[in-house]
Amino acid sequence: MSALLEHVMSPEVRPFAIAAAMIVIVGSVEVISMLVGASLSEMLGTNIDFAHPSDNGVINAISWVNVGGVPLLIFLLLLLGAFSITGFLIQDVARMIAGPLPATVASVGAVVVSVPLVRTASRAIARVIPKDESYVVGLGDLVGRIGEVVIGPLDQGPPGRVSVADVHGNRHFVSAVAAPSSGPLPQGTMVLLVDRDGTRFVAVKADDELKPSKPTLTSPL
């Protein structure tokens, strides 16, 4: 075990060990954030559409790698995983032939190999993700939807979090504040998202007639 740990932490493979550790850390943070009513996936959302051509060469380059084709969190995990595995393989092959490469050289090689691998893998994953689910819904489409305060209260101070379903029934956890004319909205309050500024929504208390009806139990006649 000590020999394996020494191998993993050796300087020539340290960047790849760090990438592997980041996969564990990011996965753990996502699980913990979901348990407290948030989601790292939603926090990593972006208003930039990488899926369509742009006049910006950087965005086009990022789009080629397929950022935006799958959820950003999945893309980051794919990138870290490909970089880590490729790097370890490069160093193992180099060690068998002559000796391990400098970490910088191996890292460059791992990036060159990882980018097309991630592009191929992410496109394959994108094909099995139903296209009518949450990944084609923009933040603007959530304005006018009813949600529930899961981290609050909402006021005019630091934003809280609201759980809201999009038109396809997929759940989002978005940052929100109370409208200036509204009082504090405690946790558990059903709210209407009436506006947004960037990724931050403005909410008011939902009228009773707008709240989703709860199913009732009826006995057979």
Side-chain angles (χ1 to χ4, degrees):
M1 182 59 122
S2 60
L4 177 61
L5 183 61
E6 183 179 349
H7 170 67
V8 170
M9 294 307 297
S10 59
E12 62 269 15
V13 297
R14 190 166 297 157
F16 317 119
I18 292 174
M22 288 179 64
I23 295 175
V24 177
I25 293 171
V26 170
S28 300
V29 171
E30 170 69 356
V31 171
I32 294 172
S33 65
M34 292 181 66
L35 290 177
V36 299
S39 173
L40 183 60
S41 301
E42 294 294 336
M43 296 176 189
L44 291 175
T46 177
N47 290 325
I48 301 176
D49 185 3
F50 293 109
H52 297 89
S54 168
D55 294 331
N56 189 310
V58 175
I59 292 180
N60 283 336
I62 294 174
S63 176
W64 183 87
V65 188
N66 203 36
V67 176
V70 294
L72 186 55
L73 184 63
I74 293 178
F75 179 85
L76 291 175
L77 292 176
L78 283 174
L79 187 60
L80 289 170
F83 176 76
S84 177
I85 294 172
T86 303
F88 277 113
L89 288 176
I90 288 174
Q91 291 293 43
D92 286 343
V93 172
R95 188 177 288 108
M96 287 187 295
I97 296 174
L101 299 171
T104 303
V105 175
S107 296
V108 172
V111 170
V112 170
V113 175
S114 296
V115 168
L117 286 177
V118 171
R119 181 174 188 259
T120 301
S122 61
R123 287 177 178 270
I125 293 173
R127 283 196 292 268
V128 302
I129 294 177
K131 295 302 179 183
D132 60 346
E133 293 196 356
S134 62
Y135 307 119
V136 297
V137 175
L139 289 177
D141 297 318
L142 299 178
V143 174
R145 310 273 319 165
I146 301 293
E148 179 181 356
V149 179
V150 292
I151 299 179
L154 303 187
D155 50 29
Q156 282 72 52
R161 304 288 288 182
V162 171
S163 171
V164 56
D166 61 32
V167 67
H168 304 295
N170 298 288
R171 187 63 52 180
H172 301 259
F173 297 90
V174 299
S175 298
V177 296
S181 59
S182 173
L185 303 170
Q187 184 173 335
T189 302
M190 300 302 295
V191 296
L192 173 66
L193 302 180
V194 296
D195 199 2
R196 76 180 178 96
D197 180 11
T199 58
R200 178 181 298 185
F201 287 80
V202 178
V204 297
K205 186 175 181 180
D207 295 333
D208 290 338
E209 59 267 24
L210 295 177
K211 296 178 181 178
S213 58
K214 297 181 178 180
T216 57
L217 297 176
T218 57
S219 57
L221 296 177

